[in-house]
Each structure stands twice: as C-alpha cells, then as structure tokens.
Amino acid sequence: MSPRTVLVVEDDLLIRLILAEALQDDGYAVAEAANVLEAVAVVGRNPSFDALVTDVDMPGHLTGLDLANMVASVSPRTQVIVVSGRDVSDDMRTGWVFMPKPYSLDQLLSFLDNAQGVATEAAEMARAV
C-alpha cells in the first residue's frame, strides 16, 4: 500500500519543516508550500492529495481558506485540516477540521492516523462487496 499524501501549507519555515518531518516519520508522503500560490502549483501537478494541512493567514491576498475551497472543488475526497491562531470555524465547510494554534504534533498525527484507519476500512469494505 502506498503512503498517504499530505500537502502542508505554512508560511513559517520552521513550523513547516517540523510538521513535514513529523509526517514523514509517521509514514506520510509530504509536499510543502509556503503560500497559497505555491500550493496551487503543487495541486496542479497532483490534485489528489489525501489530506491538506493549511494555515489560514499567509502572505499575499489569498488565505488558507481560499486554498481549502479550491482544493475541495478539485478533489472533494481530500481531507482538509485548517490551522490558525484565530477562530475561523464559522468560515469552514462541513467535514473540514479546525485545529487552533498552538496544536501538538501528536494531536495532528492522531487525527490523520484515525482518518486513515477509517478510509482503509471503507476501502476494504468496498472491495469485499
């Protein structure tokens, strides 16, 4: 089974590197972007990431919420996790997850691992039918 793919979009280099390394150590294939425009280019090359982890406030005129909406329109099965130091839960679509900063890596990894387990069970059930 190939590893789950995660796109990490975070303008803070240190946070992005730590998060990417933790995800890779947990077995995920990780792509990184420092802003929404970089992320759009990455999604253009691979629109079917299993998960998107994006900060909200980044340089430029587009936010992580704008990106999440774009990704959801191209790949509705992509799990969207939005992180921010401010509460943006009112601006989120149903099914997206909001994680307030500061969050722990264990929290994020646990959520992704649990979601992967649910997706694996669903795929196994579909094959059994």
Side-chain angles (χ1 to χ4, degrees), residues 11-12 23-24 38 42-44 57 75 84 88 92 96-97 101 104 106 109 117-118 128:
D11 61 314
D12 184 305
L23 288 167
Q24 289 167 345
E38 283 182 20
V42 172
V43 171
D57 296 316
S75 180
S84 180
V88 295
M92 304 217 345
W96 292 3
V97 172
K101 285 184 175 181
S104 74
D106 288 339
L109 291 171
V118 170

Side-chain angles (χ1 to χ4, degrees), residues 30-96:
V30 179
E32 301 174 44
N35 58 52
V36 174
L37 293 179
E38 283 182 20
V40 168
V42 172
V43 171
R45 291 188 301 272
N46 176 16
S48 60
F49 282 93
D50 293 307
L52 166 68
V53 178
T54 183
D55 190 10
V56 173
D57 296 316
M58 287 183 275
H61 297 291
L62 298 173
T63 69
L65 292 170
D66 296 322
L67 173 64
N69 279 307
M70 286 183 239
V71 168
S73 68
V74 173
S75 180
R77 71 170 195 78
T78 299
Q79 176 184 15
V80 174
I81 302 169
V82 176
V83 298
S84 180
R86 60 186 174 90
D87 186 358
V88 295
S89 55
D90 289 343
D91 299 322
M92 304 217 345
R93 288 188 188 186
T94 302
W96 292 3

Side-chain angles (χ1 to χ4, degrees), residues 12-25 32 105:
D12 184 305
L13 177 62
L14 185 57
I15 293 172
R16 188 173 69 247
L17 292 176
I18 290 170
L19 182 54
E21 184 176 332
L23 288 167
Q24 289 167 345
D25 288 348
E32 301 174 44
L105 289 174

